Amino acid sequence: MLIIERVSALNKAALFAGVPDHALAEIAQIVVETSFEAGETIIREGDLESWMFILVEGTARVDVGGVEVSRLEAGGSLGELALLDPAPRAATVTALSPSLLFRIDHATFREVMEEQPSVVSALVVMLTRMLRATPRKFPVAG
Amino acid sequence: VTRLRVQPAVAYIISQALTLGLELAFLVIPGNAVFLTVYGAGNLPFVYLAVAGLGAVASFGITELQSRLGLFQLAIGSTLIVAVLTAVTWVLLAIAGAQLASAGALILFALQIQLGFVFIGAQVGRAFDLQELKRVFSWIVAAFVIGFMLGGYFGARLSDAAGTAVHLLALSAGLALLIALQMAGASRHIPVPAQEPPHPRDTETAKPPSLRQSLAVPLIGAVFVYQILSAMVTQLVEYLLYDRAAARYPVEEDLARFLGQYTAVLNLVDLIVLVAFGGLLMSRYGLRYGLSVNPILVTGLLLAAVVVAAVAGPAHVAFFVIMAVARITDITTTDAAGRTSINATFKALPTRQRLSAQVGVEAAGVPIALGLTAVTILAVNALPGTGITNVAVVTLVLCLVWCWMTWVVYRHYRSAVVTMARRRLLDGAQIDLAEPTTRGTLLDLLRSDDPQDVKISLSLLDADPEVDAAVRAAAQSPSLDVQRAVARRLRSVDPSLAFRVAGNLMRSDSSGHAADGLRLLGSLPPQENGGEIEAFLTHADLAVRSAAAGALLRSGRGSSGLADLIDGAERSADPEERVFAARAIAEAGRTPSLDVLEALLADADARVRGEGDAAVAALNDGQRIALLDRLQGRRVALRALRACRSNASPEFCAKLAERLSDPREEGREMVRLLGAAGWRATEATGATLDRLIDSEAARIATAAKWLDAVATGDPALAPATQRLRRALGQEAAQAGRHMIDLLGLVYDRQLMARVGRVLDGTTAGDAGISIESLDLVLAPHHRATVRRALTSAFRKDQAERSGTARAARSLSAVLGALAQDCRWAAHPDWLLACVLDLMRVAGVKEATDPRVVALGPISAELLNLRQAPAPASGDQG
């Protein structure tokens, strides 16, 4: 994939919505393109890994405890929590169709966050949405 | 302007306090004289019950009405009602001979003292800020006490002259009218506060805790009980005194004379103690003294009174004298120490809890105390035996409980201070270190076995002279954790002891202790123990090894081999070794070689780069500047600059400002760094900044020019055209943001940051208003340039205009020209990549022309003219 095409793909990811294209061009040079066939597991619940993915092409299913909780389309991200808090994966994600993903590892993503505050903002929004969607084990306002 | 408005307000408020003192003296003297003569002190509890009930009703009424009426409407209306009721009381007593009206005078006295201070306090709060308020409030209290004292003195003289105290009520009614007039006068000089509508979320989440919730907090509950006991003892002592006074002066005129003179003496003593000793004693002995002096002295006097009553009977003059002294002592110590101390205890609570607790305790405490006092007196008097002695005994018992509560409040206060100290970084609480008890509590924390407490105490009491002794004591603690907590401070307090602590820590099995021991040793003057440190260079734990290398580097004890060791580590293929090199530099705060640091910043491993950032952040100013001067790679230079954001000293900023004219992105990062460090433009840098502002304006104009030129109606070219237009728009917006950063160095940085946020996030209309508002701030020579440039940079309709504009020239001509003209951009490589991509998609043959491609060294890679790595199937890393 051309670097300029990778920028277009990253442009569609909610996580990088506020990042200017020239900065995405730099991120595009450090992401690792990874492809999965339909039915292949992208991440497995309980595994200890320190990277995240941006889904560029294809669709994927997210299962928690064997129960499907959501589906991901192109532009979605998965495994962000592991970048912030190195803990076992919270869900299993399986490719539903031949999929292309960008992989970003922990240290690289930290640098991106330092250089691009808008990524941090997007991440906070994403985490807030996750909290809202979580059953109320603890009080969350709003 | 503020001073001119405030001066008459001060005069009006102080005169109100003075008049209030006079009015209340003229109300209480006849009230007490008639009531005690006719009904005796034994009936005072019924008055207390009435005051408790009516006081609660008045508090509720005021709270309800203040939201509907303005402050002055409410204050003047209430005061006029008091004036009318006082006049009615006078008529009933003087003309109708209704002696029961004297109870009304006593009730009015109790209500008016409460209302008077509420309204004066509200005016003060509205007219002054906190600093002025503290200064003015002592004058207001003094004016009230003087008024009361004069009222007592003249009350006695006038009663003598008139042959009765009853006519003082007429004067009191007149003085109440005068207060209403003074309030009307004050209203013309005290501004009405702007009403801010509550944020919808505030009404849900910021609801103040209820009184019950507040009382569940141990400190608030203890203060509540303390306040009730204090008010009960005050009331009981007053009762005992009035009972004896009524017995000693059975004739109304004699009683009125005594009450007047006693009131004058009481207030004179109060004033003297307040002015001469109050502040002095509070600042010297603090809250512990302030809380305990009142109960202890009153308890002592009550004990003496009970002994006299038991031995000589309550009718003995000594009992009367002791009660007179007890009342003066109670009032003066309450005013000089008790009230201030209680207010100070609330400062150990979070702000939201504090305000509701203060209001709740004050509002509920006084009526409850009055009711309990009345019930207590009635119950005791119903017991067989000598009533007044029993009341004195019960009062003594209450005093003893009050003394015990002092200790309880003090204990809970200390706990609250410790909690506040632990939480202060979370909720930003301000701790008053000048308060002796608070300071004592924190010093005790320094003597704790808990290293966390020791650290908290040290962080707060850093400049305290008593800390050194406590640090020495802590260094002798058997706990290595405590020794570790004071290690840094010990360096300057007692270097020889610090050596011993460093040795203890280094010999510990814990890597954390050993590393801290090495750090401490490295910061001490060199001694003959370099070999001991070098032994740690081969330690299994990376943190210990780095600390050892840092200690040797910092203290200059390292052999020449140390530089080679770090250099070798940096060249190692093992990222762990490279991390060691970076950490050793960070520990030392200096690098043996700038080459090593530059290599660490450019390392392939992101973790090593991160450690390199920390090493740059720890460098001294000289090495930072030297490093920045030699860095050529854009990414590495930007990393180094971002790392320098922490600990940017004024000297470093001054040196950096000399390099502001750097036209590269590094120059823009420097501006951000200087802005974050609070650096302000100097005369020497003014011209450079003006030039940079003009240069950004030119960049915005160029981006706008190309934006107007690049357009096509061909749908096949739309994605590539959009990308190029977005690149141009982002160039303009980035130039606009940088212009705002530059203006932030010249003008108010916070204001400029707000303008930047508005421009980034609002509609076209708001953006326009925001830019126009800059005219109020900017110097004339900046106004026109800035307004035009920012309007263009933050044009909100850029996206909509895409693809609809008609190009004046052919697309290939425009792109050809733009490809030759990308150097003005902040990111020329990306811009050129977008141009070349559009040329490629549009079939413009020059797209692959090596001369065009060569314009940007990275653009070829961006366009993937050099092939990007193929996708790795199933590769999960």
Side-chain angles (χ1 to χ4, degrees), chain A residues 2-4 8 11 21-22 26 29 33-35 41-42 51 103 107 111 115, chain B residues 606 609 634-635 639 642 723 726 730 827 840 861-864 874-877:
Chain A
L2 297 177
I3 298 284
I4 211 158
S8 293
N11 247 325
D21 289 2
H22 61 81
E26 294 187 6
Q29 290 172 69
E33 287 183 24
T34 314
S35 58
T41 303
I42 302 170
W51 54 81
R103 201 187 78 203
E111 287 183 318
E115 291 170 14
Chain B
R609 292 199 296 271
R634 189 180 68 88
R635 284 185 70 90
R639 280 197 83 89
R642 286 192 193 109
R723 187 179 300 122
R726 199 164 55 239
Q730 285 171 352
H827 302 280
R840 187 170 60 86
E861 191 178 303
L862 286 176
L863 276 169
N864 218 18
D875 176 16
Q876 294 176 46

mmCIF file of all heavy atoms in Angstrom, chain A residues 2-4 8 11 21-22 26 29 33-35 41-42 51 103 107 111 115, chain B residues 606 609 634-635 639 642 723 726 730 827 840 861-864 874-877:
data_model
loop_
_atom_site.group_PDB
_atom_site.id
_atom_site.type_symbol
_atom_site.label_atom_id
_atom_site.label_comp_id
_atom_site.label_asym_id
_atom_site.label_seq_id
_atom_site.Cartn_x
_atom_site.Cartn_y
_atom_site.Cartn_z
ATOM 1 N N LEU A 2 0.553 2.182 -0.879
ATOM 2 C CA LEU A 2 1.322 3.431 -0.920
ATOM 3 C C LEU A 2 1.223 4.152 0.423
ATOM 4 O O LEU A 2 0.193 4.068 1.085
ATOM 5 C CB LEU A 2 0.771 4.348 -2.002
ATOM 6 C CG LEU A 2 0.837 3.867 -3.454
ATOM 7 C CD1 LEU A 2 0.168 4.910 -4.356
ATOM 8 C CD2 LEU A 2 2.240 3.598 -3.904
ATOM 9 N N ILE A 3 2.280 4.854 0.765
ATOM 10 C CA ILE A 3 2.250 5.597 2.039
ATOM 11 C C ILE A 3 1.077 6.587 2.020
ATOM 12 O O ILE A 3 0.356 6.753 2.998
ATOM 13 C CB ILE A 3 3.576 6.361 2.249
ATOM 14 C CG1 ILE A 3 4.750 5.408 2.325
ATOM 15 C CG2 ILE A 3 3.496 7.241 3.505
ATOM 16 C CD1 ILE A 3 4.922 4.646 3.605
ATOM 17 N N ILE A 4 0.884 7.199 0.857
ATOM 18 C CA ILE A 4 -0.185 8.185 0.753
ATOM 19 C C ILE A 4 -1.562 7.523 0.909
ATOM 20 O O ILE A 4 -2.499 8.119 1.431
ATOM 21 C CB ILE A 4 -0.049 8.967 -0.576
ATOM 22 C CG1 ILE A 4 -0.584 10.376 -0.389
ATOM 23 C CG2 ILE A 4 -0.673 8.227 -1.737
ATOM 24 C CD1 ILE A 4 -0.048 11.350 -1.404
ATOM 25 N N SER A 8 -4.617 7.909 3.793
ATOM 26 C CA SER A 8 -6.071 7.936 3.562
ATOM 27 C C SER A 8 -6.776 6.952 4.482
ATOM 28 O O SER A 8 -7.836 7.243 5.030
ATOM 29 C CB SER A 8 -6.386 7.571 2.108
ATOM 30 O OG SER A 8 -5.894 8.584 1.271
ATOM 31 N N ASN A 11 -6.777 8.266 7.950
ATOM 32 C CA ASN A 11 -7.728 9.384 8.009
ATOM 33 C C ASN A 11 -9.120 8.934 8.409
ATOM 34 O O ASN A 11 -9.881 9.682 9.015
ATOM 35 C CB ASN A 11 -7.817 10.024 6.615
ATOM 36 C CG ASN A 11 -7.255 11.428 6.624
ATOM 37 O OD1 ASN A 11 -7.399 12.133 7.612
ATOM 38 N ND2 ASN A 11 -6.609 11.822 5.545
ATOM 39 N N ASP A 21 -2.730 15.650 8.199
ATOM 40 C CA ASP A 21 -2.257 14.617 7.269
ATOM 41 C C ASP A 21 -0.738 14.456 7.288
ATOM 42 O O ASP A 21 -0.229 13.346 7.170
ATOM 43 C CB ASP A 21 -2.707 14.958 5.835
ATOM 44 C CG ASP A 21 -4.214 14.762 5.681
ATOM 45 O OD1 ASP A 21 -4.864 14.419 6.688
ATOM 46 O OD2 ASP A 21 -4.728 14.966 4.568
ATOM 47 N N HIS A 22 -0.013 15.576 7.411
ATOM 48 C CA HIS A 22 1.449 15.444 7.363
ATOM 49 C C HIS A 22 1.962 14.617 8.551
ATOM 50 O O HIS A 22 2.951 13.899 8.444
ATOM 51 C CB HIS A 22 2.120 16.822 7.328
ATOM 52 C CG HIS A 22 1.828 17.670 8.517
ATOM 53 N ND1 HIS A 22 2.501 17.518 9.708
ATOM 54 C CD2 HIS A 22 0.941 18.657 8.713
ATOM 55 C CE1 HIS A 22 2.037 18.395 10.579
ATOM 56 N NE2 HIS A 22 1.085 19.097 10.003
ATOM 57 N N GLU A 26 3.733 10.538 8.831
ATOM 58 C CA GLU A 26 4.837 10.000 9.638
ATOM 59 C C GLU A 26 4.403 8.719 10.357
ATOM 60 O O GLU A 26 5.172 7.763 10.458
ATOM 61 C CB GLU A 26 5.319 11.062 10.628
ATOM 62 C CG GLU A 26 5.955 12.232 9.883
ATOM 63 C CD GLU A 26 6.605 13.241 10.795
ATOM 64 O OE1 GLU A 26 6.666 12.987 12.004
ATOM 65 O OE2 GLU A 26 7.047 14.279 10.280
ATOM 66 N N GLN A 29 4.387 5.700 8.136
ATOM 67 C CA GLN A 29 5.677 5.075 7.849
ATOM 68 C C GLN A 29 6.115 4.081 8.923
ATOM 69 O O GLN A 29 7.056 3.315 8.714
ATOM 70 C CB GLN A 29 6.743 6.163 7.682
ATOM 71 C CG GLN A 29 6.533 6.961 6.400
ATOM 72 C CD GLN A 29 7.448 8.157 6.318
ATOM 73 O OE1 GLN A 29 8.643 8.002 6.174
ATOM 74 N NE2 GLN A 29 6.873 9.344 6.434
ATOM 75 N N GLU A 33 1.761 -3.295 8.255
ATOM 76 C CA GLU A 33 0.566 -3.846 7.607
ATOM 77 C C GLU A 33 0.467 -5.331 7.918
ATOM 78 O O GLU A 33 1.444 -6.071 7.782
ATOM 79 C CB GLU A 33 0.651 -3.640 6.095
ATOM 80 C CG GLU A 33 0.429 -2.213 5.659
ATOM 81 C CD GLU A 33 0.444 -2.089 4.148
ATOM 82 O OE1 GLU A 33 0.179 -3.106 3.459
ATOM 83 O OE2 GLU A 33 0.729 -0.993 3.653
ATOM 84 N N THR A 34 -0.693 -5.746 8.354
ATOM 85 C CA THR A 34 -0.906 -7.145 8.734
ATOM 86 C C THR A 34 -2.234 -7.601 8.150
ATOM 87 O O THR A 34 -3.221 -6.886 8.277
ATOM 88 C CB THR A 34 -0.983 -7.272 10.276
ATOM 89 O OG1 THR A 34 0.078 -6.523 10.836
ATOM 90 C CG2 THR A 34 -0.868 -8.707 10.721
ATOM 91 N N SER A 35 -2.249 -8.785 7.517
ATOM 92 C CA SER A 35 -3.516 -9.247 6.931
ATOM 93 C C SER A 35 -3.973 -10.543 7.596
ATOM 94 O O SER A 35 -3.154 -11.337 8.070
ATOM 95 C CB SER A 35 -3.367 -9.434 5.411
ATOM 96 O OG SER A 35 -2.339 -10.348 5.153
ATOM 97 N N THR A 41 -8.074 -15.426 14.179
ATOM 98 C CA THR A 41 -8.161 -14.602 15.390
ATOM 99 C C THR A 41 -7.124 -13.483 15.322
ATOM 100 O O THR A 41 -5.931 -13.750 15.114
ATOM 101 C CB THR A 41 -7.909 -15.462 16.637
ATOM 102 O OG1 THR A 41 -8.869 -16.522 16.637
ATOM 103 C CG2 THR A 41 -8.049 -14.648 17.907
ATOM 104 N N ILE A 42 -7.602 -12.276 15.499
ATOM 105 C CA ILE A 42 -6.681 -11.127 15.461
ATOM 106 C C ILE A 42 -6.076 -10.901 16.849
ATOM 107 O O ILE A 42 -4.863 -10.770 16.995
ATOM 108 C CB ILE A 42 -7.428 -9.852 14.980
ATOM 109 C CG1 ILE A 42 -8.025 -10.115 13.581
ATOM 110 C CG2 ILE A 42 -6.486 -8.657 14.957
ATOM 111 C CD1 ILE A 42 -8.985 -9.033 13.102
ATOM 112 N N TRP A 51 0.330 -4.194 21.692
ATOM 113 C CA TRP A 51 0.136 -3.427 20.462
ATOM 114 C C TRP A 51 -1.361 -3.307 20.158
ATOM 115 O O TRP A 51 -2.171 -4.030 20.734
ATOM 116 C CB TRP A 51 0.869 -4.068 19.273
ATOM 117 C CG TRP A 51 0.540 -5.504 19.029
ATOM 118 C CD1 TRP A 51 -0.537 -5.994 18.374
ATOM 119 C CD2 TRP A 51 1.291 -6.644 19.444
ATOM 120 N NE1 TRP A 51 -0.519 -7.357 18.350
ATOM 121 C CE2 TRP A 51 0.590 -7.797 18.997
ATOM 122 C CE3 TRP A 51 2.486 -6.808 20.144
ATOM 123 C CZ2 TRP A 51 1.057 -9.081 19.230
ATOM 124 C CZ3 TRP A 51 2.942 -8.107 20.372
ATOM 125 C CH2 TRP A 51 2.227 -9.226 19.926
ATOM 126 N N ARG A 103 -0.744 -2.393 12.421
ATOM 127 C CA ARG A 103 -0.377 -2.665 13.810
ATOM 128 C C ARG A 103 0.540 -1.553 14.322
ATOM 129 O O ARG A 103 1.459 -1.124 13.615
ATOM 130 C CB ARG A 103 0.348 -4.017 13.888
ATOM 131 C CG ARG A 103 0.314 -4.602 15.277
ATOM 132 C CD ARG A 103 1.171 -5.847 15.373
ATOM 133 N NE ARG A 103 2.582 -5.494 15.465
ATOM 134 C CZ ARG A 103 3.577 -6.306 15.131
ATOM 135 N NH1 ARG A 103 3.324 -7.501 14.665
ATOM 136 N NH2 ARG A 103 4.823 -5.922 15.259
ATOM 137 N N ALA A 107 5.353 1.377 22.414
ATOM 138 C CA ALA A 107 6.302 2.494 22.494
ATOM 139 C C ALA A 107 6.051 3.507 21.382
ATOM 140 O O ALA A 107 6.106 4.725 21.595
ATOM 141 C CB ALA A 107 7.721 1.966 22.440
ATOM 142 N N GLU A 111 4.788 7.603 21.634
ATOM 143 C CA GLU A 111 5.414 8.748 20.964
ATOM 144 C C GLU A 111 4.383 9.532 20.167
ATOM 145 O O GLU A 111 4.381 10.763 20.175
ATOM 146 C CB GLU A 111 6.526 8.258 20.036
ATOM 147 C CG GLU A 111 7.750 7.800 20.789
ATOM 148 C CD GLU A 111 8.869 7.385 19.853
ATOM 149 O OE1 GLU A 111 8.585 6.716 18.832
ATOM 150 O OE2 GLU A 111 9.995 7.730 20.137
ATOM 151 N N GLU A 115 3.411 13.496 20.612
ATOM 152 C CA GLU A 115 3.556 14.470 19.528
ATOM 153 C C GLU A 115 2.211 14.997 19.048
ATOM 154 O O GLU A 115 2.134 16.108 18.534
ATOM 155 C CB GLU A 115 4.321 13.827 18.357
ATOM 156 C CG GLU A 115 5.784 13.560 18.696
ATOM 157 C CD GLU A 115 6.476 12.716 17.651
ATOM 158 O OE1 GLU A 115 5.918 12.567 16.557
ATOM 159 O OE2 GLU A 115 7.576 12.201 17.939
ATOM 160 N N ALA B 606 11.813 2.434 20.301
ATOM 161 C CA ALA B 606 11.063 3.551 20.885
ATOM 162 C C ALA B 606 11.311 3.706 22.390
ATOM 163 O O ALA B 606 11.323 4.809 22.919
ATOM 164 C CB ALA B 606 9.569 3.354 20.638
ATOM 165 N N ARG B 609 14.447 5.605 22.837
ATOM 166 C CA ARG B 609 14.196 7.028 22.522
ATOM 167 C C ARG B 609 13.520 7.716 23.709
ATOM 168 O O ARG B 609 13.843 8.847 24.055
ATOM 169 C CB ARG B 609 13.308 7.153 21.274
ATOM 170 C CG ARG B 609 13.991 6.695 19.997
ATOM 171 C CD ARG B 609 13.281 7.261 18.760
ATOM 172 N NE ARG B 609 11.918 6.775 18.600
ATOM 173 C CZ ARG B 609 11.565 5.664 17.938
ATOM 174 N NH1 ARG B 609 12.502 4.903 17.378
ATOM 175 N NH2 ARG B 609 10.305 5.309 17.833
ATOM 176 N N ARG B 634 15.340 16.625 11.762
ATOM 177 C CA ARG B 634 14.135 17.293 12.235
ATOM 178 C C ARG B 634 13.466 16.547 13.378
ATOM 179 O O ARG B 634 13.167 17.121 14.417
ATOM 180 C CB ARG B 634 13.158 17.441 11.064
ATOM 181 C CG ARG B 634 11.956 18.296 11.357
ATOM 182 C CD ARG B 634 11.062 18.362 10.134
ATOM 183 N NE ARG B 634 10.466 17.051 9.870
ATOM 184 C CZ ARG B 634 9.311 16.632 10.404
ATOM 185 N NH1 ARG B 634 8.659 17.423 11.229
ATOM 186 N NH2 ARG B 634 8.827 15.448 10.134
ATOM 187 N N ARG B 635 13.275 15.259 13.206
ATOM 188 C CA ARG B 635 12.571 14.490 14.229
ATOM 189 C C ARG B 635 13.331 14.491 15.552
ATOM 190 O O ARG B 635 12.759 14.657 16.621
ATOM 191 C CB ARG B 635 12.348 13.049 13.756
ATOM 192 C CG ARG B 635 11.235 12.916 12.757
ATOM 193 C CD ARG B 635 10.994 11.446 12.441
ATOM 194 N NE ARG B 635 10.393 10.752 13.576
ATOM 195 C CZ ARG B 635 9.077 10.655 13.774
ATOM 196 N NH1 ARG B 635 8.254 11.208 12.904
ATOM 197 N NH2 ARG B 635 8.607 10.016 14.796
ATOM 198 N N ARG B 639 12.205 16.134 19.056
ATOM 199 C CA ARG B 639 12.155 15.310 20.283
ATOM 200 C C ARG B 639 12.883 16.025 21.407
ATOM 201 O O ARG B 639 12.388 16.137 22.527
ATOM 202 C CB ARG B 639 12.884 13.977 20.055
ATOM 203 C CG ARG B 639 12.171 12.931 19.341
ATOM 204 C CD ARG B 639 12.892 11.599 19.599
ATOM 205 N NE ARG B 639 12.426 11.059 20.864
ATOM 206 C CZ ARG B 639 11.371 10.255 20.963
ATOM 207 N NH1 ARG B 639 10.714 9.915 19.882
ATOM 208 N NH2 ARG B 639 11.002 9.803 22.127
ATOM 209 N N ARG B 642 10.984 18.990 22.703
ATOM 210 C CA ARG B 642 9.838 18.605 23.539
ATOM 211 C C ARG B 642 10.320 18.135 24.907
ATOM 212 O O ARG B 642 9.700 18.425 25.924
ATOM 213 C CB ARG B 642 9.033 17.498 22.862
ATOM 214 C CG ARG B 642 8.230 18.020 21.700
ATOM 215 C CD ARG B 642 7.209 16.999 21.204
ATOM 216 N NE ARG B 642 6.714 17.455 19.919
ATOM 217 C CZ ARG B 642 6.987 16.889 18.753
ATOM 218 N NH1 ARG B 642 7.751 15.820 18.705
ATOM 219 N NH2 ARG B 642 6.500 17.378 17.637
ATOM 220 N N ARG B 723 -7.224 15.796 -1.018
ATOM 221 C CA ARG B 723 -6.062 15.614 -0.153
ATOM 222 C C ARG B 723 -5.118 16.816 -0.267
ATOM 223 O O ARG B 723 -4.632 17.341 0.741
ATOM 224 C CB ARG B 723 -5.330 14.330 -0.542
ATOM 225 C CG ARG B 723 -4.202 13.993 0.416
ATOM 226 C CD ARG B 723 -3.509 12.705 0.039
ATOM 227 N NE ARG B 723 -4.412 11.584 0.057
ATOM 228 C CZ ARG B 723 -4.655 10.795 -0.978
ATOM 229 N NH1 ARG B 723 -4.071 11.030 -2.134
ATOM 230 N NH2 ARG B 723 -5.482 9.798 -0.895
ATOM 231 N N ARG B 726 -6.655 19.770 1.386
ATOM 232 C CA ARG B 726 -6.602 19.639 2.849
ATOM 233 C C ARG B 726 -5.189 19.974 3.352
ATOM 234 O O ARG B 726 -5.013 20.645 4.370
ATOM 235 C CB ARG B 726 -6.997 18.219 3.262
ATOM 236 C CG ARG B 726 -7.415 18.139 4.709
ATOM 237 C CD ARG B 726 -8.173 16.868 5.044
ATOM 238 N NE ARG B 726 -7.452 15.667 4.693
ATOM 239 C CZ ARG B 726 -7.896 14.741 3.851
ATOM 240 N NH1 ARG B 726 -9.070 14.882 3.265
ATOM 241 N NH2 ARG B 726 -7.184 13.670 3.569
ATOM 242 N N GLN B 730 -4.474 22.816 5.928
ATOM 243 C CA GLN B 730 -3.797 22.545 7.196
ATOM 244 C C GLN B 730 -2.545 23.408 7.342
ATOM 245 O O GLN B 730 -2.192 23.816 8.443
ATOM 246 C CB GLN B 730 -3.458 21.050 7.302
ATOM 247 C CG GLN B 730 -4.686 20.201 7.596
ATOM 248 C CD GLN B 730 -4.438 18.711 7.491
ATOM 249 O OE1 GLN B 730 -3.382 18.271 7.046
ATOM 250 N NE2 GLN B 730 -5.432 17.920 7.869
ATOM 251 N N HIS B 827 5.504 21.868 5.975
ATOM 252 C CA HIS B 827 5.736 20.444 5.672
ATOM 253 C C HIS B 827 5.814 20.292 4.154
ATOM 254 O O HIS B 827 4.904 19.753 3.509
ATOM 255 C CB HIS B 827 4.608 19.585 6.249
ATOM 256 C CG HIS B 827 4.476 19.759 7.722
ATOM 257 N ND1 HIS B 827 5.303 19.123 8.610
ATOM 258 C CD2 HIS B 827 3.671 20.548 8.465
ATOM 259 C CE1 HIS B 827 5.002 19.495 9.839
ATOM 260 N NE2 HIS B 827 4.020 20.362 9.772
ATOM 261 N N ARG B 840 0.072 12.441 -10.749
ATOM 262 C CA ARG B 840 0.101 11.053 -11.196
ATOM 263 C C ARG B 840 -1.306 10.584 -11.569
ATOM 264 O O ARG B 840 -1.533 10.017 -12.639
ATOM 265 C CB ARG B 840 0.654 10.182 -10.064
ATOM 266 C CG ARG B 840 0.894 8.742 -10.420
ATOM 267 C CD ARG B 840 1.657 8.063 -9.286
ATOM 268 N NE ARG B 840 0.897 8.112 -8.037
ATOM 269 C CZ ARG B 840 -0.025 7.212 -7.686
ATOM 270 N NH1 ARG B 840 -0.307 6.223 -8.508
ATOM 271 N NH2 ARG B 840 -0.662 7.312 -6.559
ATOM 272 N N GLU B 861 9.532 8.581 -1.016
ATOM 273 C CA GLU B 861 9.129 7.517 -0.097
ATOM 274 C C GLU B 861 7.648 7.635 0.243
ATOM 275 O O GLU B 861 6.938 6.650 0.340
ATOM 276 C CB GLU B 861 9.964 7.613 1.176
ATOM 277 C CG GLU B 861 9.809 6.401 2.071
ATOM 278 C CD GLU B 861 10.695 6.518 3.283
ATOM 279 O OE1 GLU B 861 11.924 6.665 3.102
ATOM 280 O OE2 GLU B 861 10.146 6.503 4.393
ATOM 281 N N LEU B 862 7.205 8.882 0.396
ATOM 282 C CA LEU B 862 5.798 9.087 0.702
ATOM 283 C C LEU B 862 4.922 8.531 -0.410
ATOM 284 O O LEU B 862 3.891 7.931 -0.188
ATOM 285 C CB LEU B 862 5.497 10.571 0.886
ATOM 286 C CG LEU B 862 5.980 11.202 2.187
ATOM 287 C CD1 LEU B 862 5.685 12.698 2.176
ATOM 288 C CD2 LEU B 862 5.294 10.557 3.374
ATOM 289 N N LEU B 863 5.366 8.769 -1.615
ATOM 290 C CA LEU B 863 4.585 8.299 -2.764
ATOM 291 C C LEU B 863 4.809 6.832 -3.040
ATOM 292 O O LEU B 863 4.187 6.245 -3.918
ATOM 293 C CB LEU B 863 4.991 9.089 -4.014
ATOM 294 C CG LEU B 863 4.286 10.418 -4.178
ATOM 295 C CD1 LEU B 863 4.943 11.246 -5.269
ATOM 296 C CD2 LEU B 863 2.821 10.194 -4.514
ATOM 297 N N ASN B 864 5.739 6.271 -2.252
ATOM 298 C CA ASN B 864 6.060 4.866 -2.420
ATOM 299 C C ASN B 864 6.684 4.583 -3.780
ATOM 300 O O ASN B 864 6.496 3.515 -4.359
ATOM 301 C CB ASN B 864 4.816 3.994 -2.245
ATOM 302 C CG ASN B 864 5.163 2.701 -1.503
ATOM 303 O OD1 ASN B 864 6.211 2.648 -0.857
ATOM 304 N ND2 ASN B 864 4.316 1.718 -1.614
ATOM 305 N N GLY B 874 -0.881 -12.694 8.293
ATOM 306 C CA GLY B 874 -1.069 -13.318 9.609
ATOM 307 C C GLY B 874 -0.026 -12.926 10.628
ATOM 308 O O GLY B 874 0.029 -13.490 11.709
ATOM 309 N N ASP B 875 0.823 -11.966 10.288
ATOM 310 C CA ASP B 875 1.887 -11.554 11.215
ATOM 311 C C ASP B 875 1.307 -10.775 12.387
ATOM 312 O O ASP B 875 0.756 -9.711 12.223
ATOM 313 C CB ASP B 875 2.881 -10.674 10.431
ATOM 314 C CG ASP B 875 3.959 -10.131 11.344
ATOM 315 O OD1 ASP B 875 4.101 -10.673 12.462
ATOM 316 O OD2 ASP B 875 4.643 -9.192 10.919
ATOM 317 N N GLN B 876 1.438 -11.346 13.579
ATOM 318 C CA GLN B 876 0.918 -10.645 14.758
ATOM 319 C C GLN B 876 2.037 -10.106 15.625
ATOM 320 O O GLN B 876 1.834 -9.639 16.729
ATOM 321 C CB GLN B 876 0.029 -11.576 15.582
ATOM 322 C CG GLN B 876 -1.232 -11.942 14.821
ATOM 323 C CD GLN B 876 -2.053 -12.922 15.596
ATOM 324 O OE1 GLN B 876 -2.266 -12.759 16.793
ATOM 325 N NE2 GLN B 876 -2.525 -13.953 14.936
ATOM 326 N N GLY B 877 3.240 -10.209 15.179
ATOM 327 C CA GLY B 877 4.363 -9.602 15.857
ATOM 328 C C GLY B 877 4.801 -10.342 17.097
ATOM 329 O O GLY B 877 4.072 -10.897 17.819
#
